[in-house]
Amino acid sequence: MPDTRYVAAPASIELDVQGMTCASCVARVEKVLRKVPGVIDASVNLATERATVHADAPFAEAAIAAIRKAGYEAAIHREDDGGAKAGRAHRDGIEVVLAAALTAPLVLPMLAHAAGSPWMLPGWVQLALAAPVQFIFGWRFYVAGWKALRAGTGNMDLLVALGTSAAFALSVYLLAMRGGTEHRYFEASAVVITLVRLGKWLEARAKHQTVRAIEALAALRPESARLVENGLEREVPIAMVKMGDLVAVLPGERIPVDGKIVEGSTQADESLITGESIPVAKGPGARVTGGSVNGEGRIVARTTAVGAESTLARIIRHVETAQAAKAPIQRLVDRVSAVFVPVIIAIALGTFIAWGLAGGNWETATLNAVAVLVIACPCALGLATPTAIMAGTGLAARYGILIKDAQALEIAHRVRVVAFDKTGTLTEGKPRLVAVLPASATPQEIVRLAAALQAGSEHPLAKAVVDDAQSQSLAIPASHDVRSVAGRGVEGRVEERQLALASDRWAEELHASGRAALAADATRLQGEGRTVSWLVDRGDETKALGLLAFGDAVKPGAAALIARLKDRGIHTALITGDNHGAGAAAAAALGIDEVRSQVLPEEKAAVIAELRERHGVVAMVGDGINDAPALAAADVSIAMGTGTDVAMHTAGITLMRGDPMLVADALDISRRTYAKIRQNLFWAFIYNLVGVPLAAFGLLSPVIAGAAMAFSSVSVVANALLLRRWAPRR
């Protein structure tokens, strides 16, 4: 019995749906799900055979019941159903072979006749061979077609059942009326069923290839961990590991959890998670990711995330979500599929009547109507978009590009301008303190007080100040009531003094005295690309205690990225909260077209809107909390995986490592995936636009129509799989 427990509201659930064969089935399942009380929206993916349902009330039992009433089977999605699918595929393969064995003797006389050696099997032998194919191996078409008909709709199975039944019935009628060994049309019905079954089997095998990237990621999950307790190690199931537990990992083992190293050092192979081909050095304090492979050293890590909250689990979840979602272009397919089957049945009926009345040959009329029913396959339409998206998102994940929604994948190919944050995005994000200039305090005093304000911050500039204070062995005093002022700096109380570590803009707004003496130095440092901060005493008299200047190296590959974007005619912009000098110096070094400096977080969205108005579709690349408004405002948002969780949650695309070239790779995989979607939809539409009229005018036999129908679905999936040949350009 499937698990049909209620899901508490608000909720989202995934259902495995069996029995769908074409785009019409998808439309039918979505329609019935949306009628379930409490359901807000539902999206069904033919390629994954899965429905994603969102509701504001308990709905699981009702949703499953509605799907079953519509003629399909449904159950709550389980991760471990791969074995069942493999078993079904194996049984389908055996049935295809048996059907082909029975069909072959029916086809051989046709081939012999074409070779100039006419002969024919007795009619009763033809019937004996065709009947098992029609009613045993073709029984699934009757069942699914009847369920669709009973539900007031139509699908591919109904078309196949009607077409092959007409050919089989005509053959039986002719055999009963004329007898003998004359040519009948048993081979037409048998070949159509065999070819359709073969096509669906090949299609299922090909679809399995599109999810291999997800399977490869899922296979990285270790089943056990080496738990360290009271100095002793014991192996336990991974489900028993909790946050804060210590886990030992031996050389060559796969790291079981996300954690932070507390003992030992090693090289970690993170290639299957981040796409980074070179092992990464890890020592005490470094973070490790579950699923990566430990190198040559034994390490002990303190667990920071387990289960569904681990990095690997989140990657898999995001990719599956993107694969299950519908791209905007799919709406066209949905509209077509809603009327496809009724229209085809009407065309087939019209073909039958027209040929019968015009020529008086109802035998020919029947065969032409059968050809119309058989060749009109909505399968290719239903598979065109989801298979390409599955292949594209899976391939991207393999190279460290996490695409979290199908809309981002579809829009990214139209990007005309890419806007970048500076620190941590185009620069290393590891600035160092390069100059301390005093105004009314000693350099050591300035560093000591600034470090006190920044001691609890994860900001790169804060770490640079604290690291410098520690390198000088300065005693860092306690701070109180510290708060961050977005886009401006930080303030708090240190040794009974109200202090602020302020950006150049904020220091000017505070009208801090003493800045004039250092103005020339500040301008010079900014011109050299340095980031300048002012330590300000906000006591009775607001005055500058001194100036701190930070330097940050440009990331390797950043200049090559900008050049690559320019080659594609993409405009580039730098949006930074840093001073004009630092922004201009970075832009000049990298060849960026446009610079916006001293931009506050809340102002970045307005800059994005302006860029969109001037250039078109905008992509924003950032890594920090202050980038979240711009990421949300952009048409396509790209977050560096080395940045904050806020940025990554806001973004539609996350780069799992800090390599700038992944930005161009993400746009490239989007362009190629969208091209595959367009190619698939073109062939799916053109196939029906050309094939149906040919069949209606008597230019296609049912056998050829059946072969063409089977080929159409397989070709769409195979075309999507060609994406797997893509690799990042370096």
Side-chain angles (χ1 to χ4, degrees), residues 242-304:
K242 303 184 294 297
M243 292 275 289
D245 282 349
L246 293 176
V247 174
V249 189
L250 300 181
E253 289 185 339
R254 199 169 291 283
I255 299 171
V257 297
D258 287 3
K260 186 176 288 187
I261 296 177
V262 296
E263 179 186 322
S265 59
T266 188
Q267 300 276 334
D269 180 357
E270 301 176 336
S271 56
L272 285 177
I273 297 172
T274 66
E276 176 60 71
S277 59
I278 301 174
V280 181
K282 303 283 185 178
R287 294 184 179 276
V288 291
T289 305
S292 56
V293 178
N294 184 26
E296 75 282 357
R298 176 186 179 275
I299 58 172
V300 177
R302 188 173 300 279
T303 303
T304 57

Side-chain angles (χ1 to χ4, degrees), residues 316-642:
I316 294 172
R317 189 162 61 246
H318 285 316
V319 176
E320 286 181 334
T321 299
Q323 292 183 344
K326 286 191 176 185
I329 198 173
Q330 182 69 19
R331 294 173 192 144
L332 172 64
V333 177
D334 293 342
R335 289 196 295 270
V336 172
S337 63
V339 298
F340 188 89
V341 174
V343 168
I344 292 302
I345 292 176
I347 293 174
L349 185 60
T351 299
F352 175 74
I353 294 173
W355 277 91
L357 294 178
N361 189 337
W362 294 98
E363 183 176 327
T364 300
T366 300
L367 291 178
N368 290 339
V370 168
V372 170
L373 290 170
V374 171
I375 199 169
C377 176
C379 302
L381 283 175
L383 291 169
T385 300
T387 51
I389 288 175
M390 289 171 67
T393 53
L395 180 66
R398 179 174 153 195
Y399 286 103
I401 303 167
L402 180 56
I403 299 171
K404 296 191 288 184
D405 66 77
Q407 185 169 342
L409 184 70
E410 181 175 329
I411 294 175
H413 79 282
R414 295 192 283 115
V415 166
R416 302 312 310 152
V417 55
V418 178
F420 295 92
D421 172 52
K422 183 172 73 71
T423 304
T425 301
L426 294 176
T427 64
E428 292 285 1
K430 299 176 182 176
R432 57 189 180 86
L433 189 59
V434 297
V436 179
L437 303 180
S440 57
T442 65
Q444 290 78 11
E445 184 74 0
I446 293 170
V447 172
R448 189 176 70 86
L449 295 175
L453 285 175
Q454 299 281 40
S457 174
E458 292 294 317
H459 193 280
L461 296 183
K463 291 182 178 180
V465 174
V466 173
D467 288 346
D468 191 87
Q470 290 174 344
S471 69
Q472 297 184 56
S473 300
L474 299 177
I476 301 175
S479 57
H480 306 279
D481 303 324
V482 176
R483 72 181 187 94
S484 176
V485 182
R488 287 174 168 83
V490 63
E491 65 176 349
R493 293 192 64 79
V494 180
E495 297 178 342
E496 302 305 320
R497 301 163 72 180
Q498 186 68 24
L499 302 176
L501 191 60
S503 66
D504 198 52
R505 176 173 177 170
W506 192 21
E508 185 176 349
E509 291 174 355
L510 292 174
H511 303 292
S513 63
R515 291 178 66 246
L518 298 176
D521 292 308
T523 301
R524 173 180 56 79
L525 289 167
Q526 290 171 352
E528 295 171 359
R530 308 304 187 188
T531 299
V532 171
S533 294
W534 296 85
L535 183 62
V536 178
D537 187 335
R538 301 190 64 185
D540 295 335
E541 177 190 355
T542 301
K543 61 180 180 180
L545 300 180
L547 174 153
L548 300 91
F550 302 87
D552 192 9
V554 171
K555 283 184 177 179
L561 163 65
I562 302 302
R564 187 169 163 188
L565 293 176
K566 283 189 171 184
D567 286 344
R568 295 183 184 175
I570 294 176
H571 184 81
T572 54
L574 182 64
I575 306 176
T576 177
D578 217 335
N579 60 73
H580 295 296
L590 297 172
I592 293 176
D593 298 314
E594 183 177 348
V595 185
R596 299 296 182 88
S597 302
Q598 292 186 311
V599 181
L600 297 176
E602 60 269 23
E603 297 172 343
K604 288 188 176 182
V607 175
I608 293 295
E610 182 191 329
L611 289 171
R612 181 186 296 112
E613 186 175 342
R614 286 195 287 119
H615 298 284
V617 178
V618 180
M620 174 66 194
V621 188
D623 75 325
I625 294 174
N626 61 330
D627 298 319
L631 290 169
D635 300 291
V636 178
S637 50
I638 304 175
M640 291 290 185
T642 51

Side-chain angles (χ1 to χ4, degrees), residues 78-94:
R78 296 183 182 277
E79 296 293 341
D80 58 352
D81 65 348
K85 287 186 177 180
R88 287 199 302 271
H90 180 68
R91 290 193 301 272
D92 287 346
I94 292 175

Side-chain angles (χ1 to χ4, degrees), residues 107-173:
V107 177
L108 287 176
M110 297 173 58
L111 299 177
H113 182 80
S117 178
W119 62 278
M120 190 63 59
L121 291 171
W124 64 269
V125 175
Q126 296 179 45
L127 174 62
L129 290 170
V133 177
Q134 184 73 36
F135 299 110
I136 296 178
F137 301 118
W139 184 247
R140 62 171 57 187
F141 299 115
Y142 288 100
V143 173
W146 168 247
K147 287 181 178 179
L149 200 60
R150 192 177 60 185
T153 186
N155 57 12
M156 183 209 77
D157 300 291
L158 180 61
L159 297 180
V160 172
L162 288 174
T164 57
S165 296
F168 186 86
L170 175 62
S171 301
V172 172
Y173 171 79

